[in-house]
Amino acid sequence: SGAINPGRPFAILATVVLPLSLIPLWLQVPLLFGTGSISCWIVRIAGSTSMAFSTLVFTQLHDVIIHFASTFGFIAFVATTLRLAQIGRTLLVSIALFSIGLGVTNYIMWQTTSLLWAMPMVQKAAYVAFFIWIIATSHAIHRTIDIA
């Protein structure tokens, strides 16, 4: 219809607030596996950078932003998953691998324009999986802080 969606400002606000609210998570994730390692800094920098780029996804640079945010997010997630595997956090690793699998599948579908009819379902499943990982990881961090 060409009419401007009156909910657009709220959607943009949510698009900015959500990734910004995840920066503290990426800064705290290394508490699970030791803050003195190079992995710690990779996770903190790549995770926070990914979230910062993600705040710009609503702009005309959408595709470029997705590439940058996805690359940094993938680096942070893989570094986190590898370290969690090393210390035996099997549940968090399992959820992370499932999330990464769905996220990569969604990204490949977008880049190849394959099975686009299924992409919304894969995207929603990826969001849910990442959300479950965020909750489980946050809980583990809080338990680690309480013990210390």
Side-chain angles (χ1 to χ4, degrees):
S1 74
I4 295 175
N5 183 341
R8 187 172 192 273
F10 299 106
I12 290 172
L13 179 64
T15 301
V16 172
V17 170
L18 177 62
L20 290 178
S21 70
L22 291 175
I23 289 174
L25 175 73
W26 286 113
L27 295 175
Q28 290 186 334
V29 163
L31 295 175
L32 294 173
F33 49 77
T35 57
S37 66
I38 188 74
S39 299
C40 164
W41 293 107
I42 290 171
V43 168
R44 286 180 172 164
I45 292 168
S48 297
T49 301
S50 173
M51 295 301 99
F53 274 120
S54 294
T55 64
L56 302 172
V57 77
F58 67 90
T59 69
Q60 292 179 355
L61 298 172
H62 174 272
D63 291 1
V64 172
I65 295 300
I66 292 291
H67 291 302
F68 279 115
S70 297
T71 299
F72 282 105
F74 185 77
I75 291 167
F77 221 76
V78 168
T80 299
T81 304
L82 290 172
R83 288 295 288 137
L84 292 173
Q86 288 174 344
I87 62 170
R89 295 286 199 144
T90 311
L91 179 61
L92 291 178
V93 170
S94 299
I95 298 168
L97 290 175
F98 185 67
S99 301
I100 291 170
L102 287 170
V104 168
T105 299
N106 184 71
Y107 187 81
I108 290 170
M109 291 168 78
W110 175 58
Q111 286 300 295
T112 64
T113 65
S114 299
L115 301 170
L116 291 180
W117 59 269
M119 196 168 140
M121 291 178 287
V122 173
Q123 195 172 52
K124 302 303 183 280
Y127 288 148
V128 169
F130 280 116
F131 186 66
I132 291 169
W133 182 84
I134 289 166
I135 291 170
T137 301
S138 296
H139 180 69
I141 291 167
H142 287 289
R143 284 187 34 207
T144 300
I145 292 170
D146 288 342
I147 292 170

